[in-house]
Amino acid sequence: MIVVTGGAGFIGSAIVHELNQRGMSEIVIVDDVEHPEQEKNLGALKFIELKSKADFLNTIRTGSLT
């Protein structure tokens, strides 16, 4: 599993896109999607989960990352 922080932004979504091109889709994107552009960036990407920053930090603290 790969975790990409800021994955809904321009650079983060480009990283996820490149990972997808290399056959990787077990990706957790961590970002707070606050703008329509960010939702648009995620549209064509393959990933297993989108987590908010707060949820991700809580997951790390409890040790229950998927």
Side-chain angles (χ1 to χ4, degrees):
M1 176 188 341
I2 298 169
V3 176
V4 178
T5 60
F10 178 76
I11 294 171
S13 63
I15 290 170
V16 175
H17 175 74
E18 180 61 28
L19 291 169
N20 288 167
Q21 293 300 309
R22 295 176 184 219
M24 296 175 230
S25 60
E26 289 193 23
I27 301 168
V28 175
I29 295 176
V30 179
D31 210 332
D32 292 328
V33 179
E34 299 169 342
H35 303 285
E37 295 85 18
Q38 290 175 310
E39 289 180 25
K40 195 172 166 183
N41 290 343
L42 296 173
L45 302 178
K46 297 174 188 164
F47 55 94
I48 56 175
E49 189 171 4
L50 171 63
K51 285 188 166 283
S52 70
K53 295 173 194 173
D55 286 345
F56 181 71
L57 289 173
N58 188 45
T59 299
I60 295 300
R61 287 185 193 113
T62 62
S64 61
L65 190 59
T66 309

